[in-house]
């Protein structure tokens, strides 16, 4: 009796130009394009196993060992429906001997090796891993062992359309390196997908340091927070129309030219505008806390002094929908930044994470690259 099972991992991505707002809440179509850096596989990631079996009486999902409710017509079901359609059209309808996996229920188990729903983009790695694991289960993965594309293969951009139905930010985790999610304009959403701007190897000296300020689940989920912003913030309209389009062009150019100063300026400005838009929401949303704001002050001061002395910036901070900081910096500055952060925020004895270097980079920086 054959066992149909596949396991894949997907890394977290951290946006430099933030996605915040949907024009279509069912298809998860954004109000603006966004751009992110996918962290390397060996740090923050989701690992997902999916199984299909004709004996399964329902489709079930376990997250970090605990069974989750699957909402009818919800995110998992929407992703699964698309993947089943691909399986049926590309494989089962063409090869009548192929097992009819698209007609069976599945069991999915996923683990995050970092805090879930704490503003560290678990929905991004989570739905990217879920999509790629079911795609592998259904034999839709991109490459055959000989590494040439199979006729049934789904490209990463095609899979990004599926992952987007699970969580918007997830579409960007289908690619490594520097990734844009093009907002698109079609009501069907078929042009709202992720594309790679540059691979990880393009800028191997760029690192991301993850500072876990609080690993608790956030009070306002990204989904509900951004919806409230769309409904109440006038500043969001200015951001969508006047700010983001220019920033997208400028940051893509900066990445292509490995221009850290411009990359850092845009990244910090966009994080700050995203949190301003959250504050402009009624009732307001506060994702950052006092420690987050101290990290901003430290990095701003470091950059001010460096600009005076060298004419260049040292680091860029960015915060997602939570208090945890991500600091982008060049390899040559990693040690200095870790020492600075640890000087202001000494690690408690009871640190639940085994190795502080994992949090702040260190010997093996928690980098993009
Ligand atoms: P985050 O900032 O961590 O992305 P969100 O509020 O956007 O927080 O999303 C958190 C939700 O994403 C979780 O409550 C869960 O429903 C979903 N999620 C997180 N990790 C996974 C995973 N590995 N597999 C499937 N769904 C996941
Ligand atoms: C602040 O992708 O988590 O991290 O599409 O509703 O699941 P849903 O929201 P989600 O929002 C991410 C918001 C952000 C910015 C970003 O990643 O671009
Ligand atoms: Co999320």
């Amino acid at each position: 009796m054959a066992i149909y099972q596949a396991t894949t991992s997907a890394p977290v991505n951290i946006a430099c130009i933030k996605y915040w707002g949907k024009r279509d809440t069912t298809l998860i179509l954004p109000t603006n394009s966004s751009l992110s850096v996918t962290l390397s596989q060996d740090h923050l990631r989701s690992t997902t196993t999916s199984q299909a079996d004709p004996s399964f009486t329902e489709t079930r999902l376990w997250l970090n060992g605990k069974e989750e409710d699957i909402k009818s017509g919800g995110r998992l079901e929407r992703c699964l429906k698309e993947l089943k359609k691909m399986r049926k059209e590309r494989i089962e309808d063409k090869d009548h001997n192929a097992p009819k996996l698209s007609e069976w229920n599945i069991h999915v188990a996923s683990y995050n090796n970092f805090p879930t729903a704490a503003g560290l983009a678990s929905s991004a790695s989570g739905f990217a891993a879920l999509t790629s694991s079911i795609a592998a289960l259904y034999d839709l993965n991109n490459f055959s062992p000989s590494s040439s594309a199979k006729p049934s293969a789904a490209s990463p951009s095609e899979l990004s359309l599926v992952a987007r139905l699970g969580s918007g930010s997830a579409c960007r985790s289908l690619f490594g390196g520097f990734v844009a999610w093009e907002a698109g304009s079609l009501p069907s959403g078929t042009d709202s997908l992720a594309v790679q701007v540059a691979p990880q190897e393009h800028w191997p000296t760029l690192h991301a340091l993850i500072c876990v300020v609080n690993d608790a689940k956030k009070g306002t989920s990204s989904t509900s927070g951004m919806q409230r912003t769309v409904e109440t913030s006038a500043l969001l309209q200015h951001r969508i129309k006047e700010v983001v389009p220019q920033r997208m062009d400028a940051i893509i150019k900066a990445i292509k030219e490995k221009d850290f100063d411009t990359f850092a300026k845009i990244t910090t400005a966009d994080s700050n505008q995203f949190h301003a838009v959250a504050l402009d929401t009624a009732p307001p949303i506060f994702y950052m806390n006092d420690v987050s704001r101290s990290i901003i002050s430290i990095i701003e001061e470091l950059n001010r002094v460096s600009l005076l002395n060298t004419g260049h910036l040292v680091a860029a901070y960015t915060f997602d929908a939570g208090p945890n900081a991500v600091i982008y910096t060049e390899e040559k500055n990693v040690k200095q930044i870790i020492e600075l952060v640890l000087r202001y925020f000494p690690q408690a004895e009871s640190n639940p994470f085994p190795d502080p270097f994992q949090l702040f980079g260190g010997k093996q920086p928690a980098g993009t690259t």
Side-chain angles (χ1 to χ4, degrees), residues 250-251 253-254 257 259-268 313:
I251 202 163
K253 183 165 177 281
E257 293 171 358
D259 169 359
F260 184 79
D261 289 343
T262 307
F263 173 83
K265 235 171 101 181
I266 298 173
T267 297
T268 49
L313 302 177

Side-chain angles (χ1 to χ4, degrees), residues 16-316:
C16 299
I17 305 289
K18 306 292 186 194
Y19 145 56
W20 196 252
K22 295 180 182 70
R23 60 179 204 271
D24 182 320
T25 52
T26 310
L27 291 175
I28 310 201
L29 302 179
T31 49
N32 61 264
S33 295
S34 54
L35 183 136
S36 58
V37 181
T38 299
L39 305 193
S40 67
Q41 271 282 8
D42 36 337
H43 296 288
L44 312 190
R45 65 173 177 272
S46 303
T47 303
T48 303
T49 298
S50 34
Q51 278 185 342
D53 196 280
S55 71
F56 292 162
T57 53
E58 55 183 341
T59 285
R60 299 169 73 182
L61 168 71
W62 289 261
L63 176 52
N64 299 323
K66 194 176 149 279
E67 184 158 11
E68 300 271 298
D69 279 339
I70 297 186
K71 260 202 10 236
S72 161
R75 292 166 175 230
L76 176 98
E77 280 204 357
R78 283 202 287 268
C79 293
L80 189 56
K81 196 171 151 217
E82 286 305 309
L83 291 159
K84 283 186 167 176
K85 193 164 154 246
M86 286 185 188
R87 163 82 190 175
K88 186 172 174 338
E89 289 172 358
R90 295 180 192 199
I91 297 179
E92 294 167 13
D93 288 352
K94 294 210 168 102
D95 171 5
H96 293 285
N97 293 320
K100 302 229 175 320
L101 267 60
S102 72
E103 293 172 10
W104 304 348
N105 286 313
I106 63 166
H107 287 178
V108 181
S110 186
Y111 287 89
N112 298 329
N113 69 347
F114 64 97
T116 298
L120 285 168
S122 68
S123 65
S125 55
F127 277 98
L130 181 132
T131 300
S132 66
S133 137
I134 301 172
L137 174 73
Y138 288 171
D139 211 17
L140 302 166
N141 34 345
N142 206 15
F143 295 108
S144 67
S146 68
S147 167
S148 56
K150 291 184 285 187
S152 60
S155 69
S157 278
E158 255 185 298
L159 292 181
S160 81
L161 291 166
V162 177
R164 192 201 73 222
L165 298 169
S167 175
S169 55
C171 73
R172 299 184 310 239
S173 275
L174 264 301
F175 290 94
F178 303 83
V179 186
W181 172 13
E182 293 170 349
S185 55
L186 300 174
S188 65
T190 48
D191 59 349
S192 187
L193 43 73
V195 293
Q196 192 182 55
V197 168
Q200 179 177 306
E201 306 78 56
H202 166 70
W203 198 348
T205 53
L206 188 73
H207 286 265
L209 310 180
I210 317 291
C211 305
V212 178
V213 170
N214 186 341
D215 64 2
K217 190 171 167 169
K218 58 191 155 192
T220 308
S221 72
S222 298
T223 309
S224 63
M226 73 174 77
Q227 191 49 26
R228 213 155 85 205
T229 302
V230 169
E231 284 158 13
T232 60
S233 169
L235 182 57
L236 181 72
Q237 298 310 314
H238 167 70
R239 168 173 168 73
I240 294 166
K241 292 186 192 104
E242 313 294 338
V243 181
V244 171
Q246 287 166 26
R247 280 191 185 157
M248 282 297 290
D249 291 345
I251 202 163
I252 288 171
K253 183 165 177 281
I255 289 165
K256 293 205 159 135
E257 293 171 358
K258 291 183 255 182
D259 169 359
F260 184 79
D261 289 343
T262 307
F263 173 83
K265 235 171 101 181
I266 298 173
T267 297
T268 49
D270 207 72
S271 173
N272 288 332
Q273 190 180 63
F274 155 51
H275 289 277
V277 155
L279 190 63
D280 191 48
T281 300
I285 312 169
F286 307 95
Y287 282 123
M288 294 193 292
N289 64 19
D290 286 348
V291 175
S292 318
R293 283 185 283 272
S294 310
I295 294 173
I296 292 183
S297 304
I298 293 167
I299 301 296
E300 288 286 353
E301 180 60 12
L302 183 69
N303 278 338
R304 188 186 67 78
V305 173
S306 171
L307 209 51
L308 281 177
N309 291 334
T310 69
H312 292 289
L313 302 177
V314 181

Side-chain angles (χ1 to χ4, degrees), residues 314-353:
V314 181
Y317 55 81
T318 187
F319 296 79
D320 268 0
N324 304 310
V326 175
I327 301 175
Y328 287 112
T329 191
E330 294 261 37
E331 190 158 290
K332 59 180 190 288
N333 300 315
V334 165
K335 192 165 170 281
Q336 179 194 8
I337 303 226
I338 292 166
E339 282 169 4
L340 193 68
V341 173
L342 290 179
R343 176 147 27 102
Y344 283 92
F345 307 103
Q347 295 299 289
E349 289 285 336
S350 60
N351 187 340
F353 297 93

